[in-house]
Amino acid sequence: MLRVLVADADPTSRSGWVALLEAERDLRARPAVTAAELVERCESADVVLLVVGDRTAPRMPELLAAVSDRSETPVVVLAATATDELVPQAIEQGAAGALVADAAPTQVVAAVHAAAGGARVDTDTGMVPVTGPLVQRVSHEASPLTAKEVEILALAGEGLSNQEIAGRLYVSVSTVKSHLSHAFGRLGVRHRAAAIAEARRRRMLP
């Protein structure tokens, strides 16, 4: 079981990433609300996911250095900034990997696993192939969900089974499964719990 520490100044984004990572069977995530908590807890984590926005970007070198001084825990930076200049900067400053904010959740999960396994970005090319699976940057175009997909995901988020959702909406179970499968692809996830977490992180669901 890999322990992931999620450091993010945005409470909504932070809770979303924690929920998304927790949806993976082999990951356990917990939040770091402040820089002090990040430094204090990084030693007990296998990987740190550091989400850096426009407001916190100036502090990224300081945060990476503080984690490095305190532990050998690898850091994956998720650059949630207006530009993607932060990605190469994060690599240069010691991050094990960095991705742009609209990377698919499966890529973020893959980066966490790879970083925990000791993978780093190649110093010559600055890239590791997606199949590696750690990537320096990978842009994932977020496809909007249809109204029916949102409706079905919302019911799934309430804990209803496929059969219960089908009964509620007067459709077949196969139709429910089809809508869920399409939603997984649009959200860049592999299973139900991750889809619900990602939809909530994107504020598609309450």
Side-chain angles (χ1 to χ4, degrees), residues 50-118:
L50 178 60
V51 184
V52 181
D54 290 314
R55 289 186 302 170
T56 52
R59 296 196 63 192
M60 183 181 71
E62 171 193 344
L63 295 173
L64 288 172
V67 172
S68 179
D69 289 344
R70 184 69 178 259
S71 73
E72 296 183 357
T73 303
V75 179
V76 173
V77 170
L78 189 63
T81 53
T83 66
D84 57 7
E85 295 177 359
L86 207 66
V87 172
Q89 292 175 14
I91 299 301
E92 292 170 4
Q93 292 162 5
L99 300 92
V100 291
D102 60 352
T106 50
Q107 292 292 348
V108 177
V109 171
V112 167
H113 280 107

Side-chain angles (χ1 to χ4, degrees), residues 102 104 139-144 185-186 202:
D102 60 352
S139 180
H140 173 71
E141 288 296 329
S143 301
R186 294 176 193 274
R202 297 189 191 183

Side-chain angles (χ1 to χ4, degrees), residues 115-189:
R120 294 185 65 85
V121 168
D122 186 277
T123 54
D124 295 324
T125 66
M127 297 290 288
V128 171
V130 172
T131 53
L134 185 60
V135 295
Q136 176 184 345
R137 53 183 288 195
V138 52
S139 180
H140 173 71
E141 288 296 329
S143 301
L145 298 181
T146 66
K148 184 60 69 176
E149 288 164 357
V150 171
E151 184 178 20
I152 288 175
L153 270 182
L155 292 174
E158 293 176 12
L160 274 65
S161 67
N162 289 348
Q163 187 170 359
E164 289 170 330
I165 294 172
R168 180 79 64 89
L169 300 180
Y170 301 102
V171 298
S172 68
V173 173
S174 62
T175 296
V176 172
K177 290 180 178 179
S178 177
H179 281 300
L180 286 173
S181 178
H182 289 152
F184 295 172
R186 294 176 193 274
L187 293 172
V189 299

